[in-house]
């Protein structure tokens, strides 16, 4: 006759009970080593046919153009921020306010680009 073992306690890492703080040798002990090819939870193994190819080249070029324009504005904002802070620290507040106005205007340009076509987000 086989002797039935008592049920194992639920494992909690960092438990106050020393017997539950046992080392776990597997990285993900709840997933069987056959995961990926025999695990019933894995339904799709990867991207389907045609993955990685551009389906809409016009959309891609439009998004690339917007991205380049937005990055150009961001570089301009960083330059303007540097100049504005330098002028402000030197006490030339008139130039600093013009720089702050440029920063606000360039932010609005990028915001306008973002709002241009909501379906591309």
């Amino acid at each position: 006759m086989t002797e039935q073992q008592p049920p194992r306690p639920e494992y909690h890492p960092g438990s106050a009970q020393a017997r539950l703080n046992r080392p776990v040798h597997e990285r993900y002990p709840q997933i069987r080593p056959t995961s990926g090819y025999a695990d019933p939870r894995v339904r799709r193994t990867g991207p389907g046919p045609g993955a990685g190819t551009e389906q809409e080249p016009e959309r891609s070029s439009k998004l690339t153009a917007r991205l380049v324009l937005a990055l150009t504005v961001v570089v301009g904002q960083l330059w303007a921020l540097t100049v504005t802070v330098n002028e402000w620290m030197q006490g030339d507040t008139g130039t600093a306010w013009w720089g702050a106005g440029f920063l606000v205007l360039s932010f609005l340009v990028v915001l306008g680009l973002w709002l241009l076509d909501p379906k591309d987000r």
Side-chain angles (χ1 to χ4, degrees):
M1 293 194 183
T2 61
E3 188 176 314
Q4 200 171 28
Q5 295 180 350
R8 299 175 97 180
E10 188 176 337
Y11 173 61
H12 299 287
S15 177
Q17 298 178 22
R19 65 187 179 90
L20 296 180
N21 292 327
R22 65 187 186 280
V24 178
H25 300 291
E26 302 89 20
R27 184 170 184 173
Y28 300 106
Q30 71 275 16
I31 300 178
R32 296 189 310 269
T34 58
S35 290
Y37 62 90
D39 193 336
R41 293 174 290 182
V42 178
R43 298 188 187 278
R44 294 180 180 86
T45 58
T53 60
E54 184 53 56
Q55 304 296 325
E56 300 177 60
E58 295 84 14
R59 180 174 179 264
S60 175
S61 63
K62 182 173 59 171
L63 291 176
T64 302
R66 275 197 221 155
L67 181 64
V68 166
L69 187 59
L71 288 175
T72 304
V73 171
V74 167
V75 168
Q77 282 180 323
L78 290 173
W79 171 79
L81 183 62
T82 304
V83 170
T84 302
V85 169
N86 283 338
E87 292 298 319
W88 183 268
M89 297 300 268
Q90 291 174 2
D92 188 3
T93 56
T95 306
W97 283 113
W98 280 107
F102 173 78
L103 289 169
V104 169
L105 181 67
S106 59
F107 173 76
L108 292 175
V109 167
V110 173
L111 185 63
L113 287 172
W114 184 71
L115 292 173
L116 197 59
D117 199 0
K119 71 179 175 87
D120 280 337
R121 283 186 233 133

